[in-house]
Amino acid sequence: MTTTSTTKRWSLVVLFAILFVSLIQPSHGQFGMPKATEEEEGAAAAADPMDTGGETVKSVLTEQEEIDIAAILKEARADLETMNMVRKMKEEMGKELGELEQLSKVEVLGALKVSLQELKGLDYLFQDHERALVEMDKEGLIAPEHLQKYQKDPSLLELDTRRAVYFQFIAIAVVAGFIEP
């Protein structure tokens, strides 16, 4: 794979992560309390980097999700290929990652939760490779140029999908500051 195609691929993945994270819009508030201005919220977040805008990690993640995320991150930190990917991501996409780091902790944790659920859902989805291929194609999740390859060997679809969702999970974990090169 050439450097140009790798850079384009990283750009697309980071763009996807930006769009994915921006779609998660958790809401919170308290009746009778005036809404804080963006400036006040920014100052509060700067004062406490683990501030989640009044919400706790427990309000976003269940205890089991915390355990599952910690286990995946532990394995990822021990995997040389993943850590090389994280290092390259930080080097090549530093600016984009910096922009994503401006998201609230609640938004990032929410995205990490969704990514974890997607990882877990892959086991169910790929119990039947042929059906997974049909369903994903029906939903427009398979690029037309890859359809023939996956029809020949549907197990490749599972492999590619697992890699993509894992990469998404790791990219979000990098944005959250949970994994460093």
Side-chain angles (χ1 to χ4, degrees):
M1 189 177 297
T2 66
T3 304
T4 305
S5 65
T6 302
T7 302
K8 286 180 183 179
R9 186 175 183 189
W10 281 106
S11 297
L12 290 174
V13 170
V14 169
L15 179 61
F16 174 73
I18 291 169
L19 292 172
F20 180 75
V21 171
S22 67
L23 292 176
I24 298 174
Q25 298 294 323
S27 62
H28 53 85
Q30 185 173 349
F31 181 73
M33 297 296 291
K35 183 178 179 190
T37 66
E38 287 183 27
E39 203 172 284
E40 292 169 334
E41 288 177 353
D48 180 7
M50 285 311 293
D51 179 35
T52 57
E55 294 187 59
T56 64
V57 172
K58 298 283 186 213
S59 70
V60 179
L61 302 173
T62 66
E63 187 175 334
Q64 186 59 53
E65 289 166 337
E66 287 181 53
I67 291 168
D68 294 344
I69 289 170
I72 293 170
L73 291 175
K74 182 179 179 182
E75 286 182 31
R77 287 184 194 107
D79 181 57
L80 291 176
E81 187 177 338
T82 297
M83 294 311 295
N84 284 333
M85 177 181 70
V86 169
R87 184 184 45 74
K88 286 180 184 176
M89 184 188 320
K90 293 281 251 186
E91 289 172 1
E92 295 175 11
M93 306 304 290
K95 181 181 175 188
E96 291 85 352
L97 290 172
E99 292 171 9
L100 287 172
E101 289 169 354
Q102 302 305 311
L103 296 169
S104 76
K105 295 292 182 186
V106 171
E107 289 175 312
V108 175
L109 287 174
L112 200 59
K113 176 179 183 159
V114 169
S115 188
L116 174 68
Q117 291 168 344
E118 289 175 353
L119 279 170
K120 289 180 174 183
L122 293 178
D123 291 334
Y124 177 76
L125 176 64
F126 287 106
Q127 286 177 348
D128 180 348
H129 287 99
E130 296 292 333
R131 182 171 178 148
L133 175 66
V134 169
E135 294 301 320
M136 289 179 73
D137 185 39
K138 193 181 342 177
E139 293 296 321
L141 298 173
I142 299 175
E145 62 269 15
H146 296 293
L147 185 58
Q148 190 175 17
K149 171 178 75 170
Y150 294 142
Q151 286 171 334
K152 279 185 182 174
D153 186 359
S155 66
L156 288 176
L157 176 62
E158 178 179 8
L159 181 64
D160 289 348
T161 303
R162 285 189 185 279
R163 284 181 181 159
V165 175
Y166 177 74
F167 178 82
Q168 175 186 307
F169 180 90
I170 295 300
I172 296 167
V174 168
V175 170
F178 294 149
I179 191 166
E180 293 289 328

